[in-house]
Amino acid sequence: MTVSSLVQLRLVWCCWTLPRWQMNGHKRSLAVWTSATAKWTLKQKKLAELYRIPVSRPPILSGTSLLGKGALSTTSISPKEVMLTSERYGVQRLPFSHVSDSDLAFFEHLIPGRVITDPDELRLFNVDWLQSVRGCSTMLLRPRTAAEVSEILRYCNKRNLAVNPQGGNTGLVGGSVPVFDEIILSTALMNQVISFNSVSGILVCQAGCILENLNTYLEELDFIMPLDLGAKGSCHIGGNVATNAGGLRLLRYGSLRGTVLGLEVVLADGSILNCLASLRKDNTGYDLKQLFIGSEGTLGVITAVSILCPRKPKSVNLAFLGSPFYILIETSGSNSAHDEEKLNNFLEHVMASGLVTDGTVATEDKKIKILWSLRERITEALTHDGCVYKYDISLPVERLYDLVIDTRARLGKTAKNVVGYGHLGDGNLHLNITAESYSHSLLNAIEPFVYKWTAQYNGSISAEHGLGFKKKHYIQYSKPQEAVLLMQQVKAMLDPKGILNPYKTLPASS
């Protein structure tokens, strides 16, 4: 296959009820298919208003500082009615020290003006954006450098103060907010691009850079990030790496375990581990960066990332197709005529076979963003349906939707809606169950049923969102006991006092 024929294919599907664009006849040029996107009906406009689809959300850029509008405020919701995590889940506080006046004085001296103790400001950082878990931290720290993070962790380790690393606070499993009064360590001000090599495509940046801003920065240089996801406007690249976020480009560019070349990490005792390599090949000893990818801040605080970025594709086409489900198929490559021919042949085939009954194609960036917004903002839309129970599952493709059907049958009218959407290309299902309000009895009906069902078909209970607080006790459905024990031993070695993101990712050691 020549370079010009390399085509990106990412498949994302959903069972969401959306308006239909009729496609009569099969032999159409791509231009004719594309023109269908202009035929918005009143119903379609109302849909866009319902989902509040943004046509564009320009980031705030200042030189190479990628702060962005979402850097210091994690969410716009009011957390006043969110039940404390400790009360909802019956968690007991571990014997960590409490923040004292002398601790406050130390941090104010170390990072003057960047210590937040005002309860009103802290409320938004104590609650996840889904409003499902809430801690009661009394202090938030905003370092700018790895050296400052080092001093903070060295002090906290000595004082036995628990620390909750926090990026954009876009997590879905309660991993990014305190459970009790852990000190919140925000990476929001660590937002500098350190270097970019326009030959190799290797970007080195601080962990607090917002994903969307990085992509905007790279597009001006004819490159893109290998990662894309719905929360890109507020999530931090360090948080993405810490959770091993999958996203929409995984099928084409692979996971972060392959595209991340190196990391700078501050360990629990304050040691700075500089493995910020910018090499495509480095086989010297253990690949230590892999310990921290997906560790959710429990082994160390990621302060900088070296990541391989692909060239920006010269042609992009997006097909939005329907029959029993709606599916988005995006192709991207280096030859628009070649890509158009292949896509036309595919569309003619699926129409003639009856596999697809309706659809539209977009090639303009503005229309592509509008169609992707329908998919990317499903999570946000579901929050308007009440309390949402979210499950991020990986399954064999042939079993992908069976879980939705079985869960719907199991819960019956006790749930408001049971919705399934996700990434068809890599077998990642996002199972969402909504109810008018939180119900412990409904939670018991869902868990561990969902995890047992997943294990029955050799799936993973966490495809891309991590285990966080909510899933840690179910890790045995995806990992053998020996693997869990080894993980606990690694945690004990790197963080013997357990101060880093406690109550998360792993069950407590026996």
Side-chain angles (χ1 to χ4, degrees):
M1 181 178 289
T2 63
V3 173
S4 64
S5 65
L6 288 176
V7 176
Q8 172 189 350
L9 179 62
R10 52 178 176 171
L11 302 175
V12 184
W13 62 277
C14 67
C15 59
W16 210 249
T17 304
L18 298 173
R20 308 168 77 182
W21 286 266
Q22 295 295 332
M23 300 192 300
N24 298 319
H26 309 316
K27 283 193 171 289
R28 300 184 177 202
S29 69
L30 193 56
V32 175
W33 288 75
T34 304
S35 67
T37 57
K39 299 177 181 178
W40 287 84
T41 64
L42 178 61
K43 182 178 180 181
Q44 291 154 358
K45 289 180 181 178
K46 288 181 177 179
L47 178 78
E49 293 171 359
L50 174 64
Y51 282 78
R52 297 182 292 170
I53 299 170
V55 174
S56 63
R57 291 177 291 172
I60 300 172
L61 295 173
S62 176
T64 56
S65 173
L66 303 181
L67 183 60
K69 60 181 180 296
L72 295 182
S73 60
T74 57
T75 175
S76 61
I77 52 88
S78 172
K80 60 184 179 181
E81 295 186 14
V82 181
M83 184 184 298
L84 285 170
T85 303
S86 57
E87 295 178 359
R88 172 171 289 181
Y89 292 93
V91 187
Q92 295 296 314
R93 187 182 185 277
L94 294 174
F96 296 113
S97 299
H98 294 276
V99 175
S100 66
D101 290 341
S102 60
D103 297 329
L104 175 61
F106 173 84
F107 293 125
E108 284 284 12
H109 177 74
L110 177 66
I111 51 173
R114 289 177 279 137
V115 179
I116 295 177
T117 57
D118 184 281
D120 289 333
E121 291 186 64
L122 284 167
R123 286 164 71 239
L124 295 179
F125 296 90
N126 268 307
V127 179
D128 69 328
W129 77 276
L130 287 173
Q131 301 187 76
S132 63
V133 288
R134 178 166 70 94
C136 51
S137 176
T138 60
M139 180 182 292
L140 180 142
L141 307 178
R142 301 186 295 175
R144 286 198 177 102
T145 66
E148 290 179 344
V149 175
S150 174
E151 290 298 319
I152 290 169
L153 292 189
R154 182 176 290 111
Y155 181 88
C156 289
N157 192 57
K158 182 180 178 180
R159 280 275 295 120
N160 196 35
L161 292 166
V163 178
N164 185 103
Q166 188 176 99
N169 195 9
T170 59
L172 302 178
V173 288
S176 59
V177 295
V179 175
F180 291 95
D181 57 346
E182 302 90 88
I183 294 173
I184 302 172
L185 195 160
S186 171
T187 58
L189 297 183
M190 304 180 70
N191 51 45
Q192 304 292 316
V193 169
I194 299 170
S195 66
F196 178 70
N197 189 313
S198 59
V199 176
S200 65
I202 296 173
L203 171 75
V204 181
C205 64
Q206 287 186 301
C209 292
I210 292 175
L211 181 60
E212 186 174 42
N213 295 353
L214 286 176
N215 203 61
T216 300
Y217 168 81
L218 288 170
E219 282 187 344
E220 294 177 357
L221 302 171
D222 206 31
F223 285 81
I224 61 172
M225 289 293 289
L227 176 69
D228 184 27
L229 57 151
K232 57 181 171 283
S234 55
C235 65
H236 297 184
I237 185 61
N240 295 146
V241 175
T243 57
N244 191 26
L248 304 172
R249 292 175 176 165
L250 185 140
L251 190 62
R252 174 61 180 88
Y253 299 119
S255 74
L256 291 173
R257 293 197 180 277
T259 56
V260 171
L261 302 179
L263 294 174
E264 177 186 70
V265 183
V266 181
L267 303 181
D269 65 358
S271 303
I272 299 178
L273 179 65
N274 190 340
C275 292
L276 205 59
S278 296
L279 300 172
R280 297 291 297 272
K281 288 185 175 180
D282 183 3
N283 253 2
T284 50
Y286 301 131
D287 191 2
L288 295 178
K289 70 175 182 291
Q290 296 294 347
L291 279 175
F292 304 96
I293 300 175
S295 66
E296 303 185 81
T298 61
L299 301 180
V301 176
I302 295 172
T303 52
V305 177
S306 172
I307 188 167
L308 181 65
C309 303
R311 283 278 182 181
K312 181 181 179 181
K314 297 185 181 300
S315 67
V316 177
N317 303 307
L318 182 65
F320 181 32
L321 310 175
S323 45
F325 301 92
Y326 285 91
I327 185 169
L328 283 164
I329 303 177
E330 182 177 288
T331 67
S332 61
S334 59
N335 187 315
S336 58
H338 173 83
D339 296 349
E340 179 178 335
E341 179 184 4
K342 291 189 72 174
L343 183 57
N344 273 326
N345 290 339
F346 168 75
L347 294 173
E348 290 170 11
H349 173 73
V350 295
M351 286 293 294
S353 68
L355 180 64
V356 171
T357 58
D358 330 289
T360 188
V361 172
T363 57
E364 297 177 19
D365 186 61
K366 179 179 178 180
K367 294 175 181 177
I368 288 174
K369 287 181 178 179
I370 289 175
L371 288 177
W372 268 115
S373 291
L374 293 175
R375 161 62 177 84
E376 292 177 349
R377 304 197 75 176
I378 289 177
T379 296
E380 181 183 349
L382 282 166
T383 62
H384 295 278
D385 205 34
C387 179
V388 187
Y389 303 80
K390 305 187 75 68
Y391 299 90
D392 167 47
I393 306 297
S394 199
L395 290 165
V397 174
E398 65 272 13
R399 291 286 183 181
L400 202 58
Y401 198 68
D402 293 349
L403 177 57
V404 180
I405 296 172
D406 289 356
T407 303
R408 192 174 288 154
R410 174 179 174 82
L411 300 180
K413 294 183 179 180
T414 60
K416 191 173 180 181
N417 281 299
V418 178
V419 176
Y421 66 97
H423 312 254
L424 182 60
D426 52 39
N428 183 186
L429 170 71
H430 297 311
L431 175 68
N432 288 255
I433 300 153
T434 66
E436 291 293 344
S437 59
Y438 174 80
S439 165
H440 203 67
S441 61
L442 178 57
L443 181 65
N444 288 338
I446 300 169
E447 301 176 9
F449 165 78
V450 166
Y451 302 129
K452 287 181 177 179
W453 196 103
T454 301
Q456 179 183 351
Y457 295 105
N458 300 313
S460 168
I461 68 166
S462 178
E464 62 176 0
H465 290 156
L467 295 169
F469 171 80
K470 297 179 181 178
K471 288 185 177 182
K472 68 173 185 176
H473 290 300
Y474 299 106
I475 189 173
Q476 72 274 9
Y477 288 104
S478 291
K479 299 297 180 187
Q481 182 179 356
E482 294 79 7
V484 177
L485 177 61
L486 184 56
M487 292 179 197
Q488 291 170 331
Q489 291 171 342
V490 171
K491 167 69 173 176
M493 179 184 68
L494 294 179
D495 181 18
K497 292 187 176 181
I499 67 166
L500 288 177
N501 219 9
Y503 320 102
K504 316 285 177 59
T505 306
L506 298 175
S509 301
S510 57

